[in-house]
Amino acid sequence: MSIPAGIRLPYRAALLTGAALLFATPALADESAEPGRPIIVTGHGLESGPATPAYDVQTIERDAVIASASGRIEDVLNSVAGFSQFRRSDSRSANPSSQGATLRALGGNASSRTLVLLDGVPVANPFFGYIPYSAIAPERLSSIRVTRGGGSGAFGSGAVAGTIEMTSAGPDQIGILQGSALINDRSETQASATIAPKLGAGFLVASVQWDRGEGFWTTPKDQRAPASARAAYDSWSASLRAVAPLSESVELQASVLAYGDERTLRFKGADSTSEGQQASLRVVGRGDWQFDVLGYVQAQDFSNIVISSSTFAKTLDQHRTPTTAIGGKAELRPPVGEDHVLRIGTDLRLSDGRLLELPYNAAGAFTAARRAGGNQSDLGFYVEDDWTLGDLVLTAGGRADRWTIRNGFYRAVSPAGVVTQDDAYANRSGWMGNGRAGLVWHASKAVSLRAAAYTGMRLPTLNELYRPFVVFPVTTEANPNLKPERLRGYEAGIDVHPLEALTLSLTAFDNKVKDAVANVTLSGTTRERQNVNAVHARGVEAAAALDLGTVRFDGSLAWTDAKVRADGPDLDARRPSQTPKFAASATLAWLPAEGWRFAATLRHVGAQYEDDLETYVLPAATTLDGYVQVPVAGPLSLVLRAENLTDETIVTRNQNGSIDLGTPRTFWAGLRVALR
């Protein structure tokens, strides 16, 4: 794996910082602690404010995070009804560039309309907007908090459909060592190992995972050709995280993540690769003047080979897409009284992306060298206050973003070196203000009422602005004049705790993304990215959680009426592509003793349309997954997993009858070790 020159210094600096922390930890503890008083580090950011429940929040705890049937983080997120990627495929069989994250049926394209954070760091690819799911190992996480809607407050820009916050685990959750090795009925393997020793008053977490296999047939049997291939995959991920105290109330966190992913989609030679490196430093203070200062640097790359479905020859080589992002966040919480939590902060993200691709003719010769790319930046300032008035908690905040889109270009050069197209696009910039407000009223010990209103924004990605693409036989043109998307939303809900072990919630919402970027059909085989007037989604979300100790139930459902609002009659009032009206998930688990788990998960996703004109249908799909863990000897446990037990046919793509399929029935077996 190569590291771009501009990234090597901060990347190595973070590694050295993490190593230095390990040796410095005992000394730091001795100098800063009062005699007999222990120093406690968490490895997390500051605690959430008391008004967090004013928004529609669902938390996935660690025991559910690490016990999915597939072992994939996107499978874990699917337990929150309303979460979706552009397609139903997971990170073993999808093209990585199609794996955005969206909530509340506010989809319609492959970019993420949901802000995804790992320990406060945005993880979306800066060029395409997809999420590198294969890089995120569930075993490394302590919890995932999903906020549907909520707008752009202290979360940062990009959260037009919601925010997904993933928090890393420490030694208390992981133990000294945790690892697993499994094999499935197609001889595919999945292995991971994590160590989390406590060192002085701090700790270290080091983790690796490796998944590989020949994959399943995504092409239906009656559509296969000699050139058809299984969805082979080979992915790895490694992370290092060190946490140490600087004083009794201040801790330093250093993290490094690196990953690589190779996949084959539908045809032999249709290979894609994605890789990335990320490093971050974070200082968190929990004294009277609380603060959270975070800085990060990222480098990612993507390549993809497109094979013709008629000639089975290479038609396009997306040779490289190197992208970098540098950013950070600083938040201060001054002591303004026990009844207030005041947050004042700023965040910055600078990104740069470049594309090199080579189209090929029927004779196998490349016909041009095409380059495209540009720069983006977003500088935000925010202030937010949570005010507790007895059983009532009020929250309000505002945010101002200075955004820029600069140095955009598209250039094509013939094999002879002749420039055939050379477009340079005007720089653009602007200010955009957003706000949000909400309340939660604890009407009794058993009932809480909440309401919220909010706005948000998302910049179009460099991919949407500058890169055309082909999914045969449809060509989708880029649009360098796309405007930022804007969210307007409001919601109201109720949370009920009729029993200590039972929680029920219901939320009604109305969200509208104005100037939404959509792939708009211009003719039978041509589309263009355009700002439609809006994507308008209204619906209800419900959740239920029951915890009786040995028996647990978690359920979630979402019903959404989503419509595109556009000037043309062909598109107006149609449902956005790839968005179902109804989705539901339910998991029932039995934990008879320590280390034992028997669980089943039932999921349903309603029918979706492949395209914006509602021509091609993706039928509804209902799947049943299973998970079993049984201790066998000491720290060893037997793990059995089953994906799609009923072997439901899951259609992930339907382009004029050309079909791709999702995961078939798959059985896994292996061992897990956990040393405390």
Side-chain angles (χ1 to χ4, degrees):
M1 178 189 67
S2 62
I3 301 171
I7 302 300
R8 288 174 184 159
L9 181 58
Y11 182 84
R12 291 172 179 169
L15 283 172
L16 294 173
T17 301
L21 284 173
L22 303 184
F23 295 102
T25 294
L28 287 169
D30 292 340
E31 293 175 3
S32 60
E34 295 179 6
R37 181 174 176 178
I39 291 180
I40 299 174
V41 297
T42 67
H44 303 161
L46 295 177
E47 297 299 320
S48 302
T52 299
Y55 305 99
D56 187 5
V57 176
Q58 186 170 338
T59 300
I60 309 172
E61 301 295 348
R62 178 172 172 80
D63 62 340
V65 170
I66 64 175
S68 71
S70 68
R72 297 273 167 169
I73 194 65
E74 63 272 26
D75 186 29
V76 176
L77 292 170
N78 277 326
S79 64
V80 178
F83 168 82
S84 65
Q85 304 172 81
F86 184 62
R87 299 193 184 280
R88 299 172 178 178
S89 308
D90 67 12
S91 55
R92 294 167 293 191
S93 60
N95 187 290
S97 64
S98 72
Q99 292 198 277
T102 298
L103 295 161
R104 289 194 165 166
L106 291 170
N109 66 23
S111 298
S112 295
R113 287 195 169 110
T114 296
L115 178 64
V116 181
L117 304 172
L118 175 61
D119 297 320
V121 177
V123 298
N125 178 278
F127 190 93
F128 294 96
Y130 69 81
I131 308 300
Y133 291 106
S134 63
I136 304 169
E139 290 84 357
R140 300 171 191 161
L141 303 179
S142 66
S143 65
I144 303 172
R145 184 170 67 188
V146 179
T147 303
R148 294 178 277 202
S152 296
F155 295 135
S157 65
V160 293
T163 305
I164 298 173
E165 300 167 273
M166 296 179 284
T167 302
S168 293
D172 292 341
Q173 295 91 10
I174 298 171
I176 298 174
L177 169 67
Q178 186 172 104
S180 63
L182 296 99
I183 189 169
N184 70 13
D185 52 351
R186 294 187 295 272
S187 298
E188 298 163 5
T189 57
Q190 187 176 87
S192 66
T194 303
I195 59 170
K198 294 182 179 180
L199 300 172
F203 62 82
L204 170 73
V205 178
S207 177
V208 295
Q209 70 164 7
W210 182 31
D211 302 340
R212 65 181 301 274
E214 65 176 359
F216 56 87
W217 290 103
T218 59
T219 308
K221 191 171 184 179
D222 60 355
Q223 295 185 7
R224 293 175 197 165
S228 297
R230 294 175 180 264
Y233 63 96
D234 192 337
S235 63
W236 64 270
S237 172
S239 69
L240 178 65
R241 192 162 182 265
V243 178
L246 298 180
S247 71
E248 290 182 3
S249 60
V250 180
E251 67 181 66
L252 181 63
Q253 305 167 13
S255 299
V256 174
L257 171 67
Y259 63 90
D261 190 311
E262 299 177 1
R263 307 180 199 176
T264 298
L265 183 61
R266 195 174 175 88
F267 298 114
K268 297 173 184 177
D271 302 325
S272 68
T273 67
S274 60
E275 67 172 37
Q277 306 88 35
Q278 173 178 302
S280 66
L281 286 173
R282 189 178 197 179
V283 182
V284 180
R286 294 184 171 84
D288 293 336
W289 287 78
Q290 297 186 13
F291 58 87
D292 189 341
V293 180
L294 168 70
Y296 64 87
V297 60
Q298 296 168 323
Q300 299 186 35
D301 202 352
F302 171 80
S303 68
N304 184 52
I305 302 294
V306 179
I307 301 295
S308 168
S309 61
S310 56
T311 65
F312 309 115
K314 180 167 62 174
T315 61
L316 180 66
D317 178 1
Q318 292 174 247
H319 194 65
R320 290 196 65 201
T321 318
T323 63
T324 58
I326 298 174
K329 172 184 174 180
E331 178 175 301
L332 178 66
R333 298 186 186 181
V336 292
E338 294 182 358
D339 296 335
H340 289 269
V341 176
L342 177 62
R343 308 170 70 176
I344 304 170
T346 181
D347 53 60
L348 173 67
R349 183 171 174 86
L350 309 173
S351 58
D352 173 272
R354 297 289 187 271
L355 166 74
L356 168 62
E357 61 181 20
L358 309 172
Y360 285 76
N361 60 22
F366 84 90
T367 58
R370 301 195 296 230
R371 300 178 186 271
N375 309 92
Q376 290 182 325
S377 71
D378 188 288
L379 173 63
F381 303 92
Y382 64 86
V383 58
E384 188 166 275
D385 184 52
D386 294 353
W387 186 11
T388 302
L389 296 167
D391 294 327
L392 178 66
V393 182
L394 304 175
T395 182
R399 180 180 174 90
D401 286 272
R402 172 66 175 178
W403 60 268
T404 69
I405 299 174
R406 302 174 61 250
N407 302 321
F409 72 94
Y410 183 89
R411 181 182 177 90
V413 179
S414 73
V418 178
V419 177
T420 58
Q421 185 173 351
D422 191 2
D423 295 330
Y425 306 110
N427 294 340
R428 292 186 286 153
S429 62
W431 282 94
M432 189 172 292
N434 290 287
R436 64 180 190 167
L439 63 87
V440 55
W441 176 39
H442 303 290
S444 69
K445 292 183 178 180
V447 178
S448 296
L449 303 174
R450 49 186 164 80
Y454 39 81
T455 63
M457 66 162 287
R458 181 186 77 92
L459 289 178
T461 64
L462 298 172
N463 178 58
E464 293 168 326
L465 289 164
Y466 306 127
R467 175 188 166 265
F469 70 95
V470 177
V471 177
F472 186 84
V474 176
T475 298
T476 301
E477 300 292 346
N479 185 347
N481 299 312
L482 291 172
K483 296 181 289 186
E485 297 179 342
R486 298 202 63 178
L487 165 74
R488 184 273 299 148
Y490 52 88
E491 63 189 57
I494 181 172
D495 300 308
V496 181
H497 308 274
L499 304 170
E500 184 177 351
L502 178 63
T503 301
L504 305 172
S505 69
L506 180 68
T507 303
F509 66 89
D510 186 310
N511 285 185
K512 178 184 287 187
V513 178
K514 298 180 181 180
D515 295 320
V517 178
N519 298 333
V520 177
T521 298
L522 304 180
S523 66
T525 59
T526 303
R527 297 176 187 164
E528 183 184 48
R529 298 186 181 96
Q530 295 182 4
N531 290 110
V532 298
N533 292 341
V535 172
H536 192 186
R538 298 186 179 112
V540 294
E541 296 159 341
L546 177 67
D547 188 350
L548 298 175
T550 58
V551 176
R552 297 179 186 175
F553 173 83
D554 288 283
S556 177
L557 66 86
W559 180 88
T560 309
D561 180 23
K563 300 291 185 183
V564 174
R565 301 301 179 190
D567 295 330
D570 291 340
L571 188 57
D572 188 56
R574 295 188 184 275
R575 196 191 317 171
S577 60
Q578 306 289 338
T579 57
K581 277 191 174 181
F582 181 77
S585 174
T587 298
L588 181 63
W590 178 43
L591 299 83
E594 179 73 22
W596 293 70
R597 184 181 181 91
F598 299 85
T601 298
L602 184 68
R603 292 198 182 104
H604 176 82
V605 178
Q608 303 168 220
Y609 290 105
E610 172 72 29
D611 61 320
D612 59 323
L613 298 183
E614 300 183 352
T615 306
Y616 308 114
V617 177
L618 308 177
T622 302
T623 59
L624 177 64
D625 295 341
Y627 184 93
V628 174
Q629 179 173 307
V630 178
V632 291
L636 286 177
S637 296
L638 172 68
V639 175
L640 304 174
R641 305 188 323 213
E643 301 179 66
N644 193 5
L645 266 167
T646 60
D647 204 21
E648 174 84 334
T649 298
I650 306 168
V651 179
T652 63
R653 186 186 67 91
N654 177 7
Q655 186 65 55
N656 197 22
S658 177
I659 301 293
D660 281 344
L661 301 176
T663 307
R665 180 167 49 220
T666 304
F667 294 103
W668 293 85
L671 295 174
R672 170 170 287 169
V673 59
L675 290 174
R676 293 287 178 182

